[in-house]
Amino acid sequence: MGKADFLSPKAIGNRIKSKGLQKLRWYCQMCQKQCRDENGFKCHCMSESHQRQLLLASEDPNKFMDYFSDEFKNEFLELLRRRFGTKRVHNNIIYNEYINDREHVHMNSTQWETLTDFTKWLGREGFCKVDETPKGWYIQYIDRDPETIRRQEEQARKKKQDLDDEERSAKFIEEQVRRGRGDKEEEETPVFTELKRESEEEKVAFNLGASSSVAGPSKSSSALGASALKAAASSSAKRKDTSADTRGEKKKKSALEEIMEPNIVVKVVTKRLGEKYHKKKAIIMEVREKYGAVVKMIDSGDKLKLDQNHVETVIPAPGKQVLILNGPHREREALLEGIDEKNFSATLTIASGLQKGKTVSVAYEDFSKLA
């Protein structure tokens, strides 16, 4: 009977059967031949080429088994490394991907009888980290590539260096805080000194007034002492009030107080009021409750009460008048000369005060346009 035509149904069926994986029991690893059925496998075993391969294998069977075991191990680990890296994955998932290749080395030709035995062997030899769960065995590849190890060591060294820098910064800050507390305690702690006289004949006298007598206190001297004590108490109270006022004046202004000065032009940045007021300019009329202010819109004339987070300073064009809001020249009017976009600052010329005409550099947020 002649051979079937290339496009005949039988030939097409044979080609379909030859594609994909076939049954493992009909595969000859020595000859690397896959048979489609039992009859084909029987005929192959009786062939002359198969008999020659068996004679070669019978001379040194361990050599062939070791060769196939090494091939299976190398291809399996290469697939695990390339496909999953160092991730933890089920061993069956890797094996199913491995056997998709028709030319793969079959496990029945290796030294391992089952996939579980092979997984345990990988763990014992240190190729992978293996662990058993109720769902089966999981493996994780251990990357021992010199380049990978070098990269990991470099990352660890960099991380340690960052930690050392952070520790040094923390120690420096802690030292500064400790020194600050020590200086403050020294200032607050009163110093008591021993009362010493230069000579034993010298007498200790308290001069409370021109009419006071050394022999004994009189009514006039008592009155003068009482008045002196009252005067001292009143002067002490005045000094306390003055120092409190001075501290209040020197107290740093809040972010709102720095930008919310009357007649200062600001820009509304909140979107909660709608597009009508968003990005529009307004003039500050008054400050309320320390963190709020009443502003008057320049375009519409509407008055709004806004929070400090809802506005920002306005930088006018060069040649316009501005007000310095923060720094050593605070509350001074100035003329905007130029803008330094690289350093986020501007060059201003003081227009009032003793330093009139002086040129200074001020950050964007520390000045604003005058109304």
Side-chain angles (χ1 to χ4, degrees):
M1 183 175 178
K3 188 176 181 181
D5 187 40
F6 180 75
L7 296 178
S8 64
K10 184 176 181 180
I12 294 174
N14 290 336
R15 286 197 297 274
I16 292 175
K17 291 178 182 179
S18 63
K19 289 182 180 180
L21 297 175
Q22 305 293 328
K23 290 187 177 181
L24 184 61
R25 62 178 179 175
W26 295 334
Y27 181 82
C28 178
Q29 186 65 56
M30 286 297 302
C31 303
Q32 296 183 0
K33 180 177 178 59
Q34 175 70 57
C35 300
R36 283 183 296 194
D37 51 24
E38 186 177 359
N39 184 43
F41 186 71
K42 182 179 179 180
C43 293
H44 170 71
C45 292
M46 297 173 62
S47 64
E48 184 179 354
S49 60
H50 180 72
Q51 296 297 327
R52 286 199 301 269
Q53 291 293 334
L54 288 181
L55 290 175
L56 291 174
S58 61
E59 294 178 359
D60 192 357
N62 293 329
K63 176 182 177 181
F64 285 91
M65 181 174 290
D66 293 342
Y67 171 76
F68 290 135
S69 298
D70 290 340
E71 286 290 320
F72 180 83
K73 181 216 30 164
N74 293 334
E75 293 177 2
F76 189 90
L77 291 177
E78 178 64 20
L79 175 63
L80 174 61
R81 183 190 67 82
R82 187 178 65 253
R83 178 70 174 81
F84 299 98
T86 56
K87 295 181 180 178
R88 181 173 173 269
V89 64
H90 200 283
N91 59 353
N92 265 331
I93 296 177
I94 308 168
Y95 183 72
N96 289 333
E97 292 195 14
Y98 172 73
I99 65 176
N100 282 334
D101 182 15
R102 288 190 63 188
E103 304 300 328
H104 71 275
V105 178
H106 290 71
M107 187 172 287
N108 60 355
S109 61
T110 65
Q111 64 184 13
W112 306 287
E113 296 181 359
T114 62
L115 180 61
T116 301
D117 294 339
F118 176 63
T119 303
K120 293 179 180 179
W121 182 85
L122 289 177
R124 287 195 302 268
E125 295 297 324
F127 292 103
C128 300
K129 296 179 182 178
V130 300
D131 60 304
E132 186 179 10
T133 65
K135 295 183 179 180
W137 285 88
Y138 284 82
I139 61 177
Q140 184 178 0
Y141 181 70
I142 300 175
D143 195 349
R144 302 186 185 278
D145 183 51
E147 181 66 21
T148 304
I149 295 175
R150 185 191 64 79
R151 187 165 56 251
Q152 291 176 352
E153 291 178 352
E154 185 177 353
Q155 291 176 355
R157 185 166 57 254
K158 184 177 179 181
K159 185 177 181 181
K160 183 179 179 181
Q161 183 177 359
D162 295 340
L163 291 176
D164 293 342
D165 294 340
E166 292 178 1
E167 290 177 359
R168 281 196 295 269
S169 300
K171 288 182 179 179
F172 177 76
I173 294 173
E174 185 178 353
E175 180 67 18
Q176 294 295 326
V177 172
R178 186 183 62 80
R179 289 181 180 178
R181 289 178 177 175
D183 296 341
K184 187 175 180 181
E185 289 176 358
E186 290 178 1
E187 291 177 359
E188 293 179 353
T189 303
V191 179
F192 300 97
T193 58
E194 184 180 358
L195 180 61
K196 294 182 179 180
R197 291 185 295 180
E198 295 180 358
S199 63
E200 296 181 355
E201 297 178 357
E202 183 181 357
K203 297 181 180 181
V204 179
F206 297 94
N207 186 11
L208 300 178
S211 60
S212 61
S213 175
V214 179
S218 62
K219 293 183 179 179
S220 60
S221 64
S222 301
L224 287 173
S227 62
L229 292 176
K230 290 181 180 179
S234 62
S235 62
S236 176
K238 288 181 179 179
R239 284 197 299 271
K240 288 182 179 179
D241 295 340
T242 306
S243 62
D245 296 339
T246 305
R247 286 196 299 271
E249 290 177 358
K250 292 184 178 180
K251 185 179 179 182
K252 188 177 179 181
K253 291 186 177 182
S254 64
L256 179 70
E257 292 172 344
E258 289 177 359
I259 68 171
M260 288 195 170
E261 297 284 352
N263 298 326
I264 293 298
V265 179
V266 293
K267 184 185 292 185
V268 180
V269 294
T270 180
K271 295 182 180 179
R272 296 180 180 178
L273 302 177
E275 295 296 331
K276 180 180 179 181
Y277 301 112
H278 184 236
K279 295 294 183 181
K280 302 295 183 180
K281 295 180 182 179
I283 301 175
I284 296 179
M285 305 304 294
E286 59 176 319
V287 179
R288 291 185 180 178
E289 299 176 359
K290 193 177 181 179
Y291 297 106
V294 177
V295 301
K296 182 179 179 181
M297 305 303 298
I298 295 178
D299 295 341
S300 61
D302 298 341
K303 290 186 178 181
L304 305 174
K305 183 179 179 182
L306 300 176
D307 188 74
Q308 63 177 357
N309 296 324
H310 297 161
V311 295
E312 66 179 9
T313 57
V314 175
I315 301 176
K320 299 291 185 180
Q321 291 287 333
V322 298
L323 183 68
I324 301 177
L325 306 173
N326 194 16
H329 307 289
R330 184 167 54 197
E331 298 181 359
R332 295 288 179 86
E333 294 184 6
L335 185 67
L336 178 62
E337 299 292 345
I339 298 175
D340 186 0
E341 296 181 356
K342 184 177 180 181
N343 296 321
F344 303 99
S345 62
T347 303
L348 306 180
T349 301
I350 305 295
S352 62
L354 297 176
Q355 297 181 344
K356 182 178 179 180
K358 182 180 179 180
T359 302
V360 294
S361 179
V362 182
Y364 285 165
E365 63 271 13
D366 293 339
F367 71 93
S368 186
K369 179 182 178 183
L370 270 173

